[in-house]
Amino acid sequence: MNVDRFAQQVQAIHWRLAEMYRGADTALQPTSDLLLPVAFKELGTASEELQVAAEQLLEQTEELATTRAQVEAERQRYKELFEFMPNAYLVTDDQGKILEANRAAATLLNIEQSFLPGKLLVSFIPPQERRAFRNKLLQMHRSEWVQESALSLQPRHGEAFEAAVNISVVREVLDQAVTLRWIVRDISERKRALKALNTSEYNSYHDRPWHCYSKGELIHLEPSLLYIVRQGLVKLSTMSESGDEILMGLVGSSMPFGSSLTSLPIYQAIAFSDEVQLVNISLSEIAGSPHLTQALLSPINARLRQTELLLAIAGKRQVKDRLYHLLQLLKKEIGQSVSQGTRLTVRITHQDLADACCTTRVTITRLLSKFRREGKITFDSKQHMIIKNEI
């Protein structure tokens, strides 16, 4: 029961009592004694109705107070989340005037948090980029989804930096933009790190000790270490149920490998060139160094792409197709351009090719002889295969 209904009940009771009193004034004396019991009965009924209405109103008032307390607690929780967000969070009107800003935003812009409301966001944009920012602000109003962009921001009494921003537009009735919500992240340090990783100055095995292996030597893999090839080529393989070797990868210079990068129960690494030099890095060091993690991301992706190519080659039905595509992969991975075509820098035996193609050495010898007669391949004086460019 709400307040309006309670008031209506009280008004109805007053009306009934007024009708009784008017009836009592106009009634004859002999009937007044009969009217008194009726009046008491009406008053009793009205009193009970008022009591019930009052109890219902009190119950609803308590529920309303509880709901209000819950809403206030929820509002306070979201206010705290807003304040303590690790990223800078700003709320502006459609002109870019700051309405709200959290602590991270105040730190990022180097200004007291209480001074931010009322300031224009454009005042934190470098002067030479303010016109472009105002044009971008006008374009945001037409958007219906979260926008991602990059901005140059200049904190108070500080140098400009590059920031990534996510902007959402909140609209009211009649599709009018009322607020823009900004999440801002300083990405200048990340940009500098990526730039350093893309230059020749950074080397993941710089100043680290390295270990040397001879061709055919088995490399013992420690689960807690990641290995990086400094020089040479490493063959990764596993064993089938029939005991045949299955090629899983050929790891060249600057590429990583290790038992932590596979879930195969049998996984072995063998030096595949005359001299292999390896550097090892502990997984705990990689986990604690974003710089190392970024440096290893690209070569690990290259390993993944190579593994997918090997899987695709193994899935081809005819042996000649498997051999053809394997030679194309070797040409790309360990090829060196010469006048006759592309020379494989590592001497590959017929048995190596047979293991990689899941066939016999005799079959590989027959197919290579055919390729040689057709002029698709040849060999140099050191028995390194040269693949003609038209193969």
Side-chain angles (χ1 to χ4, degrees), residues 106-390:
T107 302
L108 190 68
L109 299 175
N110 194 30
I111 189 173
E112 283 287 337
Q113 187 178 1
S114 58
F115 293 161
L116 276 173
K119 290 192 177 297
L120 290 174
L121 187 56
V122 72
S123 63
F124 297 99
I125 302 293
Q128 67 274 16
E129 299 185 27
R130 290 179 180 177
R131 174 173 289 187
F133 174 76
R134 289 189 179 99
N135 292 335
K136 184 177 290 188
L137 199 62
L138 291 173
Q139 295 172 4
M140 290 175 190
H141 300 166
R142 307 186 187 99
S143 177
E144 299 293 338
W145 55 84
V146 175
Q147 300 179 63
E148 297 183 0
S149 183
L151 288 177
S152 288
L153 290 177
Q154 186 165 16
R156 188 179 183 185
H157 307 309
E159 296 182 0
F161 61 87
E162 195 165 357
V165 294
N166 293 73
I167 311 121
S168 60
V169 181
V170 180
R171 302 180 185 277
E172 61 175 12
V173 185
L174 302 179
D175 203 37
Q176 296 295 317
V178 286
T179 56
L180 300 173
R181 298 178 181 178
W182 308 70
I183 296 177
V184 187
R185 301 184 306 279
D186 182 357
I187 58 172
S188 55
E189 183 62 31
R190 188 180 71 180
K191 288 269 188 180
R192 284 192 292 269
L194 289 174
K195 185 177 180 180
L197 293 174
N198 291 329
T199 63
S200 58
E201 297 175 2
Y202 183 77
N203 195 321
S204 59
Y205 46 76
H206 181 65
D207 292 334
R208 293 178 182 271
W210 47 272
H211 304 274
C212 189
Y213 297 85
S214 301
K215 185 174 183 179
E217 188 176 350
L218 183 67
I219 301 167
H220 176 69
L221 301 179
E222 290 285 347
S224 61
L225 298 177
L226 191 70
Y227 299 84
I228 299 175
V229 177
R230 188 175 186 270
Q231 176 184 303
L233 191 69
V234 174
K235 179 176 74 171
L236 304 176
S237 61
T238 186
M239 302 295 290
S240 68
E241 293 180 356
S242 59
D244 297 324
E245 186 180 37
I246 301 174
L247 179 66
M248 299 304 299
L250 294 172
V251 188
S253 179
S254 299
M255 294 181 69
F257 68 95
S259 58
S260 60
L261 297 180
T262 182
S263 58
L264 294 172
I266 300 175
Y267 189 76
Q268 64 180 14
I270 299 173
F272 202 54
S273 57
D274 292 335
E275 183 179 343
V276 173
Q277 295 176 5
L278 298 181
V279 168
N280 58 63
I281 305 175
S282 69
L283 297 180
S284 58
E285 181 183 354
I286 296 171
S289 172
H291 210 58
L292 266 177
T293 304
Q294 289 284 350
L296 292 169
L297 181 60
S298 179
I300 288 176
N301 282 338
R303 278 283 324 282
L304 177 62
R305 289 193 294 270
Q306 185 195 86
T307 302
E308 289 179 340
L309 285 173
L310 287 171
L311 285 172
I313 291 171
K316 296 189 178 297
R317 303 186 67 176
Q318 296 189 357
V319 177
K320 67 175 182 178
D321 291 333
R322 294 201 292 271
L323 178 60
Y324 171 83
H325 286 92
L326 178 62
L327 292 179
Q328 292 297 311
L329 176 61
L330 293 172
K331 179 181 174 181
K332 177 183 176 183
E333 295 289 339
I334 57 172
Q336 180 185 44
S337 181
V338 294
S339 58
Q340 296 171 283
T342 302
R343 174 181 179 270
L344 301 185
T345 57
V346 176
R347 184 173 175 271
I348 309 292
T349 68
H350 292 196
Q351 188 60 54
D352 292 330
L353 295 173
D355 293 337
C357 292
C358 300
T359 187
T360 63
R361 185 180 60 81
V362 174
T363 302
I364 293 297
T365 301
R366 177 176 56 81
L367 288 173
L368 288 178
S369 298
K370 181 182 178 183
F371 285 170
R372 193 170 186 175
R373 288 195 304 272
E374 293 173 352
K376 294 179 179 180
I377 63 170
T378 187
F379 292 87
D380 65 8
S381 59
K382 295 183 179 181
Q383 292 302 303
H384 286 250
M385 185 184 298
I386 299 175
I387 303 172
K388 299 298 182 68
N389 291 329
E390 61 269 14

Side-chain angles (χ1 to χ4, degrees), residues 13 16 39-51:
I13 291 170
R16 287 164 59 189
F40 278 124
K41 185 176 180 181
E42 288 287 339
L43 285 172
T45 302
S47 176
E48 290 176 359
E49 291 178 356
L50 281 173
Q51 185 176 357

Side-chain angles (χ1 to χ4, degrees), residues 49-111:
E49 291 178 356
L50 281 173
Q51 185 176 357
V52 171
E55 290 174 354
Q56 292 178 344
L57 184 62
L58 179 61
E59 183 180 347
Q60 289 187 354
T61 302
E62 291 174 349
E63 291 177 356
L64 187 61
T66 302
T67 302
R68 181 177 179 179
Q70 291 174 346
V71 170
E72 179 61 25
E74 193 76 5
R75 188 192 70 82
Q76 183 62 30
R77 188 169 73 88
Y78 280 106
K79 183 174 178 10
E80 291 173 356
L81 286 174
F82 172 79
E83 283 295 328
F84 294 104
M85 274 186 66
N87 292 325
Y89 194 100
L90 297 160
V91 180
T92 71
D93 64 10
D94 55 358
Q95 300 301 313
K97 184 172 74 175
I98 298 173
L99 305 176
E100 296 180 70
N102 67 355
R103 296 182 183 183
T107 302
L108 190 68
L109 299 175
N110 194 30
I111 189 173

